[in-house]
Amino acid sequence: MIVLYLALLACGVGLFVLSYVAPFRVAALLRGRYPQHWQVIATAAQGRFSGFRIWASMQQVLRSPALPALGDAAIDRWRLVWRYSQWLGWLCWLAALAMRLWLH
């Protein structure tokens, strides 16, 4: 049972890391494949692009219906990773918490 508990915790951490990395990956794909679309995002955020600023602006972009309109399978895949990894991460952590409460 302890192995399952630790596996759920580790899986939750991994999924949260994926939800953090996905916007950076989508930004890199946009920068490389669609520079004209990336330029719109870059000019909307004034000043120098820091890591947090890229992450924050990509949160808005990932919520918009513009990305699925591009029809790029890799970008759509990373968008789905961003969308569902947060929920699955919380599900793993809540399952680990429920396991701990149930076994105590």
Side-chain angles (χ1 to χ4, degrees), residues 26 30 37 41 57-72 75-76 79 82-83:
V26 171
L30 280 173
H37 297 299
I41 297 166
S57 67
M58 288 308 296
Q59 296 296 314
Q60 297 293 333
V61 171
L62 286 166
R63 286 184 181 96
S64 77
L67 285 182
L70 293 175
D72 192 322
I75 291 176
D76 290 342
R79 184 173 181 262
W82 169 79
R83 175 176 244 156

Side-chain angles (χ1 to χ4, degrees), residues 22-94:
F24 292 108
R25 187 64 192 132
V26 171
L29 288 171
L30 280 173
R31 225 178 287 129
R33 296 180 183 177
Y34 304 98
Q36 69 278 14
H37 297 299
W38 177 252
Q39 196 61 29
V40 170
I41 297 166
T43 56
Q46 300 162 350
R48 190 171 160 246
F49 248 165
S50 66
F52 177 74
R53 188 169 262 174
I54 290 173
W55 181 82
S57 67
M58 288 308 296
Q59 296 296 314
Q60 297 293 333
V61 171
L62 286 166
R63 286 184 181 96
S64 77
L67 285 182
L70 293 175
D72 192 322
I75 291 176
D76 290 342
R77 199 173 326 121
W78 277 105
R79 184 173 181 262
L80 288 175
V81 165
W82 169 79
R83 175 176 244 156
Y84 294 115
S85 61
Q86 300 172 36
W87 292 103
L88 292 173
W90 279 112
L91 186 66
C92 287
W93 278 22
L94 290 175

